[in-house]
Amino acid sequence: MYKFVMPEVIFGSGSIQQAGESCARLGAKRALIVTDEGVIQAGWSELVEKSCRQAGLSSFVFSNVSVNPKDEEAEACARIYLENECDALIGVGGGSAIDTAKAAAILATNGGHIRDYEGVDRIFSPLPPLVMVSTTAGSGSEVSQFSVIVDTAQRKKMTIVSKSLVPDIAIVDPDVLATKSQHLTASTGLDVLTHAIESFVSIASTPLTDVHAKNALALSSRYLRPSVASKHNKEAKEQMAMASLHAGLAFSNAILGAVHAMAHAIGGRYPFLHGDINAVLLPHVMEFNLLASPDKFKEIALLMGEDVQSLPPAAAGEKAIDFVRRLSIDIGAPLTLAEMGFEGSAIPEISEMALSDACMITNPRDITAEEAAALLRKAL
Amino acid sequence: MYKFVMPEVIFGSGSIQQAGESCARLGAKRALIVTDEGVIQAGWSELVEKSCRQAGLSSFVFSNVSVNPKDEEAEACARIYLENECDALIGVGGGSAIDTAKAAAILATNGGHIRDYEGVDRIFSPLPPLVMVSTTAGSGSEVSQFSVIVDTAQRKKMTIVSKSLVPDIAIVDPDVLATKSQHLTASTGLDVLTHAIESFVSIASTPLTDVHAKNALALSSRYLRPSVASKHNKEAKEQMAMASLHAGLAFSNAILGAVHAMAHAIGGRYPFLHGDINAVLLPHVMEFNLLASPDKFKEIALLMGEDVQSLPPAAAGEKAIDFVRRLSIDIGAPLTLAEMGFEGSAIPEISEMALSDACMITNPRDITAEEAAALLRKAL
């Protein structure tokens, strides 16, 4: 027996203009828009403010959000929400802005410290209406039951999982992807691929999540290269937005694995882009996990378009790993942790921390701290 | 730009026992269980009552539901709901019980006559919490934004479409399918296939609905025969339950077509099983619609497992139609309207009525009353 949950989705060119009306439809009058400076500069936040005005809503803006959003930012955001007597939140951005909006929503109606909600199903009071506008085709947070926030005291990322965190309405507008840098397109695109692969081999995967993981895999394998190649390739942007949506639906309901567990541990200490860390770790973790589910890795290779029908599962799985390595090289993703500034001396602590991340529970192969450390050394 | 909406889904063996807890999770204390005599005799309604007791809920039962549920039944159901001061509805059954529960929910919080809500988006006040337990692997109503109710004065089926009608939680337990008769298994299974085909070729189909329509098509083409063949084939029951779920998600968001428009018109006058009417009409409407989207009909044939890769689209589409005819014969579905008791003299009136059904708008080929009449004569 398993459960599957998703928000209402509005998908397509121009859908960002539905943000205000969506919020009004949920009964809101005063919306707090949670975003970041990059999104403001690209003009997307202003479009959302305009849509609020048109829908008769007052709106306020909070934009103090880091690449890896922090507990103190979520607390500041919740204060602004309460001070302005807001009654809904609109996240506009990538995972950072959306996860901050979710964390602020928890604090606004449940109180306490965000640390109190780390783990699975610890939220008891209903959250305010949540409308999330994804601007990255990456995090999947606009549809997921996850929020990942840095505990600044302990310098680690906390994974918060609860059905309450599934937004009411998710807006995915491929047009906004045209303003992303090439680096961000590559990084968030590899996050999509990682979501698809980890949720597909997760021990919590189900026939319903597999449907979404497979679609995400097929689409991102095909469209990530052309999407990085040109800001103006509308088809590639639209298909990557769809891939991100499918990947988000898959991992929200099947959870993830060792790549994300280690990436969260690293992201709590270093200001690296989450997608960059995933990109480096993914092929190493796939090598490690291949033992656990060779048949699924063969399916992954097939979905990537590799000619592996006649190969035994493990050999086919190797082709999927080769595919990921070639893709990272082609789109200029980092290939080692060291080139990003990660220090080998942190490995023992990071590997210990990764073991206690909620995403590690669903990794298809059991993993010890020594094995996690060995993977990090390979990735160094 | 398009929207996609679905309830939380709980799927799998034993999930029917989650009904009470699901209702409690939505804040309810007094649930009205809407079901029918067949479901009560099979013991499923009692299981739901037990799950309510275990979750600390009071429960009441309404079971006066026809095969094609009527406005006066929905009104009686709403009265029972209000008299007992209920605060949630649990539909337990096929489309008839679930659609009655939805219609009673509308009346309970919106008042008036059910006729006032016919058409699209006419419901303005929020509905009570809705938990729907599907017992047929057919209607898809447990996940859809539809309710279809007979207007007894006008002797026609009204199609009510609103996002408010999407239940909060849908429970799909394949175990309950073991008590269905062979006839009902065949009839509801062909309803699933019809949902899949009509939503796939609908002019309102989207990439998201196509994902679900394709899965529904592939699964029902493969598992309907073995599911009819044996009450004890658990795999076939589970896959048909999954097919029904996918088909429901597809048509809830992409709407249907001429088969359903005509089946609604007939179902308003005759006490036939909805799936039986669809089964007879489907191949004739496919022949008519082939002109509109031969490429999609070729995809349908491929998903059915037909060897049509090298055929031109229209010829491949003919194979899909042949597949449907063979399937109906194999599982003993009715092949003509006359053998069910339909009279040719009703054709002019029925074809006129079908033209104004909400499902006709999304049929891929424009259709006149004369063309609808011609299709009905062929199906006679």
Side-chain angles (χ1 to χ4, degrees):
Chain A
M1 195 178 73
Y2 52 84
K3 299 183 182 181
F4 185 93
V5 57
M6 71 176 279
E8 178 180 335
V9 169
I10 308 181
F11 185 98
S13 174
S15 59
I16 191 170
Q17 294 168 40
Q18 301 279 310
E21 193 201 300
S22 299
C23 229
R25 187 146 57 83
L26 298 168
K29 302 264 184 239
R30 297 166 72 85
L32 181 60
I33 297 170
V34 183
T35 187
D36 65 38
E37 287 305 323
V39 173
I40 289 175
Q41 276 164 38
W44 304 123
S45 173
E46 203 184 320
L47 262 188
V48 171
E49 287 176 71
K50 192 176 153 204
S51 79
C52 285
R53 276 195 303 280
Q54 287 170 339
L57 267 79
S58 306
S59 68
F60 306 85
V61 176
F62 177 88
S63 64
N64 185 19
V65 173
S66 310
V67 169
N68 292 303
K70 299 182 179 62
D71 46 10
E72 56 203 30
E73 291 160 359
E75 283 158 16
C77 183
R79 271 197 305 277
I80 301 286
Y81 177 90
L82 293 168
E83 279 167 21
N84 288 290
E85 299 179 330
C86 294
D87 54 11
L89 287 128
I90 308 180
V92 187
S96 310
I98 293 175
D99 282 1
T100 303
K102 287 181 176 182
I106 298 173
L107 296 173
T109 55
N110 288 261
H113 188 276
I114 194 67
R115 198 185 299 124
D116 307 335
Y117 306 97
E118 186 180 3
V120 179
D121 285 339
R122 315 255 328 246
I123 301 169
F124 298 107
S125 295
L127 303 192
L130 299 177
V131 174
M132 299 302 178
V133 183
S134 167
T135 63
T136 59
S139 76
S141 186
E142 71 279 7
V143 296
S144 85
Q145 43 188 329
F146 283 66
S147 173
V148 182
I149 300 289
V150 174
D151 180 333
T152 41
Q154 297 196 54
R155 297 177 64 216
K156 73 177 194 88
K157 276 195 168 179
M158 300 175 285
T159 300
I160 306 165
V161 188
S162 166
K163 249 186 306 222
S164 306
L165 292 175
V166 177
D168 297 287
I169 300 176
I171 296 177
V172 182
D173 186 339
D175 290 356
V176 309
L177 304 180
T179 57
K180 276 166 69 183
S181 70
Q182 205 169 50
H183 177 195
L184 193 59
T185 303
S187 179
T188 52
L190 287 165
D191 195 20
V192 170
L193 189 70
T194 309
H195 291 155
I197 292 172
E198 291 216 279
S199 60
F200 189 58
V201 301
S202 159
I203 59 167
S205 67
T206 72
L208 274 178
T209 61
D210 282 354
V211 163
H212 292 290
K214 286 182 189 179
N215 273 282
L217 255 163
L219 291 173
S220 56
S221 302
R222 182 162 171 192
Y223 290 102
L224 181 50
R225 283 185 179 86
S227 180
V228 171
S230 164
K231 278 191 197 309
H232 306 295
N233 187 333
K234 283 197 103 168
E235 186 196 2
K237 302 290 176 207
E238 185 164 329
Q239 298 292 0
M240 280 308 298
M242 182 55 74
S244 173
L245 177 62
H246 278 300
L249 294 173
F251 89 75
S252 174
N253 292 285
I255 323 294
L256 294 156
V259 177
H260 272 79
M262 295 197 282
H264 289 158
I266 296 172
R269 298 278 161 114
Y270 296 87
F272 308 152
L273 281 180
H274 171 66
D276 283 356
I277 313 174
N278 284 345
V280 174
L281 297 176
L282 179 60
H284 300 288
V285 173
M286 287 172 80
E287 286 280 6
F288 179 78
N289 282 341
L290 184 51
L291 188 76
S293 43
D295 289 332
K296 278 212 151 176
F297 278 94
K298 178 167 180 171
E299 270 189 88
I300 292 172
L302 285 167
L303 289 161
M304 287 168 163
E306 295 294 286
D307 181 18
V308 296
Q309 196 71 67
S310 59
L311 291 183
E318 291 290 349
K319 297 284 183 190
I321 300 167
D322 293 345
F323 179 99
V324 171
R325 291 193 205 275
R326 280 199 316 276
L327 176 59
S328 276
I329 292 169
D330 289 353
I331 64 177
L335 303 175
T336 67
L337 294 174
E339 71 186 88
M340 293 160 62
F342 182 77
E343 295 139 338
S345 59
I347 286 178
E349 203 177 11
I350 293 289
S351 50
E352 279 293 346
M353 217 186 291
L355 251 64
S356 65
D357 189 276
C359 291
M360 202 57 113
I361 303 165
T362 47
N363 193 65
R365 181 171 171 183
D366 298 338
I367 185 166
T368 63
E370 291 70 39
E371 286 167 326
L375 286 171
L376 288 167
R377 276 194 299 275
K378 278 193 195 170
L380 193 60
Chain B
M1 195 178 72
Y2 51 85
K3 299 183 182 180
F4 186 92
V5 58
M6 71 178 278
E8 178 182 335
V9 169
I10 308 180
F11 185 98
S13 173
S15 59
I16 191 169
Q17 293 168 40
Q18 301 281 309
E21 192 200 300
S22 299
C23 228
R25 187 147 57 81
L26 298 168
K29 302 265 183 241
R30 297 166 72 84
L32 180 60
I33 297 169
V34 182
T35 187
D36 64 39
E37 288 305 322
V39 174
I40 290 176
Q41 277 164 35
W44 303 123
S45 173
E46 202 183 320
L47 263 186
V48 171
E49 286 176 72
K50 192 177 153 205
S51 79
C52 284
R53 276 195 302 277
Q54 286 170 341
L57 266 78
S58 305
S59 68
F60 306 85
V61 175
F62 178 87
S63 65
N64 187 18
V65 173
S66 312
V67 169
N68 291 302
K70 300 184 178 63
D71 46 11
E72 56 202 29
E73 291 160 358
E75 283 158 17
C77 184
R79 270 197 305 275
I80 302 287
Y81 176 91
L82 293 169
E83 279 167 20
N84 289 288
E85 298 179 332
C86 293
D87 53 11
L89 287 128
I90 308 180
V92 186
S96 310
I98 294 176
D99 282 1
T100 302
K102 288 180 174 182
I106 299 172
L107 295 174
T109 56
N110 287 261
H113 187 278
I114 195 66
R115 198 184 299 125
D116 306 337
Y117 306 96
E118 187 180 3
V120 180
D121 286 339
R122 315 258 325 248
I123 301 169
F124 298 106
S125 296
L127 304 193
L130 300 177
V131 174
M132 299 300 178
V133 183
S134 166
T135 62
T136 58
S139 77
S141 186
E142 71 279 7
V143 296
S144 85
Q145 43 187 329
F146 283 66
S147 174
V148 181
I149 300 288
V150 174
D151 180 335
T152 39
Q154 296 197 53
R155 296 177 66 216
K156 72 178 194 88
K157 275 195 169 181
M158 300 175 284
T159 300
I160 306 166
V161 188
S162 166
K163 251 187 306 225
S164 308
L165 292 177
V166 177
D168 297 286
I169 300 176
I171 295 177
V172 183
D173 187 338
D175 291 356
V176 308
L177 304 181
T179 56
K180 276 166 69 182
S181 69
Q182 205 172 50
H183 178 194
L184 193 59
T185 303
S187 178
T188 53
L190 287 165
D191 194 20
V192 170
L193 188 71
T194 309
H195 291 156
I197 292 173
E198 292 216 282
S199 60
F200 189 58
V201 301
S202 158
I203 58 167
S205 67
T206 72
L208 275 178
T209 60
D210 282 354
V211 164
H212 293 289
K214 285 182 189 177
N215 273 282
L217 255 165
L219 291 173
S220 56
S221 302
R222 182 162 170 194
Y223 290 102
L224 181 50
R225 282 185 180 86
S227 181
V228 171
S230 163
K231 276 190 198 312
H232 306 295
N233 188 332
K234 282 197 106 170
E235 187 197 3
K237 301 292 175 206
E238 185 164 328
Q239 298 291 2
M240 280 309 298
M242 182 56 74
S244 173
L245 177 61
H246 279 299
L249 294 172
F251 89 74
S252 175
N253 292 283
I255 324 295
L256 294 156
V259 177
H260 272 78
M262 294 196 283
H264 289 158
I266 296 172
R269 298 278 162 115
Y270 296 87
F272 307 153
L273 281 180
H274 172 64
D276 283 354
I277 312 174
N278 283 345
V280 173
L281 296 176
L282 179 60
H284 300 289
V285 172
M286 288 173 80
E287 286 280 5
F288 179 77
N289 282 342
L290 184 52
L291 187 77
S293 44
D295 289 332
K296 279 213 150 175
F297 278 95
K298 178 168 181 172
E299 271 188 88
I300 291 171
L302 286 167
L303 289 160
M304 288 169 164
E306 295 293 288
D307 181 19
V308 296
Q309 196 71 67
S310 60
L311 292 184
E318 292 288 351
K319 297 282 183 191
I321 300 166
D322 293 345
F323 180 100
V324 171
R325 290 191 205 276
R326 279 198 316 276
L327 177 58
S328 275
I329 292 169
D330 288 353
I331 64 177
L335 303 176
T336 67
L337 295 174
E339 71 187 88
M340 294 159 65
F342 182 77
E343 295 138 341
S345 57
I347 286 178
E349 202 179 9
I350 293 290
S351 50
E352 278 294 345
M353 219 187 288
L355 250 64
S356 65
D357 188 277
C359 292
M360 201 58 112
I361 303 165
T362 48
N363 193 65
R365 181 171 172 185
D366 298 338
I367 185 168
T368 62
E370 290 70 39
E371 286 167 327
L375 286 171
L376 288 168
R377 276 193 298 274
K378 277 193 197 171
L380 194 59

